[in-house]
Amino acid sequence: MTDKITVIQGDITKQQVDAIVNAANTRLLGGGGVDGAIHRAAGSGLLAECRTLNGCKTGEAKITLGYNLPANYVIHTVGPVWQGGNQDEDKLLASCYHQSLILAEKHQLKTIAFPAISTGVYGFPIERAARIAVNTVQEFLTKTNAISQVRFVCFSKESYQCHLTAIASQEK
Ligand code: AR6
């Protein structure tokens, strides 16, 4: 299964995949971090389409076109804000990955790139988030052949290492 999963350190806005995932907020009107980078690279058409979506709940996902991005689509998902771990953060983070993959499958998209959702401004511990991301994606890929490639695009070296470790521990 892991032949369908790759991990790189890089910028998600540069990825040539069917869809990149945005770590957005519930308003879906842009922000900082990866959200800001995606909106800047996509251009104003993205914000215009996002305005029509009426926001998005935490753990859910919505899709738009990619506009000036190399990716054809952007899947916007809203990660949980880390509050210590007892507010369903793990479940909500897993749901972000799961719901994004469901949307990709529904739109017949085969290749998808994820950032490390919630691990920036929202403060989710990086290693814990990487384990949840890898486990959720792996489990999804065992159940369908619709998705041919999932790429984790990590901005920091630490995040990159944590994803590699999470994949390696799955392979044991
Ligand atoms: N490519 C890939 N990863 C990136 C990029 C990039 N260009 N830029 C940042 N990251 P964050 P969150 C990484 O804060 O924690 C926004 O303002 C970053 O290093 O972007 O889910 C939204 O509007 C980190 O590992 O998202 C929300 O209000 C990861 O992306 C809020 O932040 C996520 O960091 C969402 O917070």
Side-chain angles (χ1 to χ4, degrees), residues 9-70:
Q9 190 181 354
D11 181 349
I12 202 162
T13 66
K14 307 272 194 277
Q15 304 303 309
Q16 300 208 349
V17 284
D18 294 333
I20 62 170
V21 175
N22 182 15
N25 58 58
T26 54
R27 296 188 313 135
L28 292 189
L29 297 177
V34 71
D35 194 4
I38 288 172
H39 275 273
R40 274 194 301 278
S44 58
L46 181 61
L47 183 58
E49 187 176 354
C50 283
R51 286 192 201 285
T52 69
L53 298 177
N54 290 316
C56 182
K57 290 187 182 138
T58 302
E60 296 185 1
K62 292 196 176 176
I63 191 165
T64 64
L65 295 175
Y67 298 90
N68 298 336
L69 289 162

Side-chain angles (χ1 to χ4, degrees), residues 10-12 23-25 30-35 37 115-122 153 155:
D11 181 349
I12 202 162
N25 58 58
V34 71
D35 194 4
I117 300 164
S118 281
T119 63
V121 175
Y122 282 0
V153 182
F155 215 47

Side-chain angles (χ1 to χ4, degrees), residues 23 58-60 77-82 87-100 114-120 122-134 136-137 163:
T58 302
E60 296 185 1
T77 188
V78 183
V81 177
W82 180 256
Q87 302 295 321
D88 275 344
E89 292 97 323
D90 289 355
K91 218 171 80 188
L92 288 165
L93 185 64
S95 176
C96 288
Y97 287 91
H98 191 73
Q99 293 302 322
S100 297
F114 282 99
I117 300 164
S118 281
T119 63
Y122 282 0
F124 206 108
I126 291 173
E127 197 218 320
R128 183 170 176 141
R131 262 187 281 124
I132 293 167
V134 167
T136 308
V137 167
H163 282 78

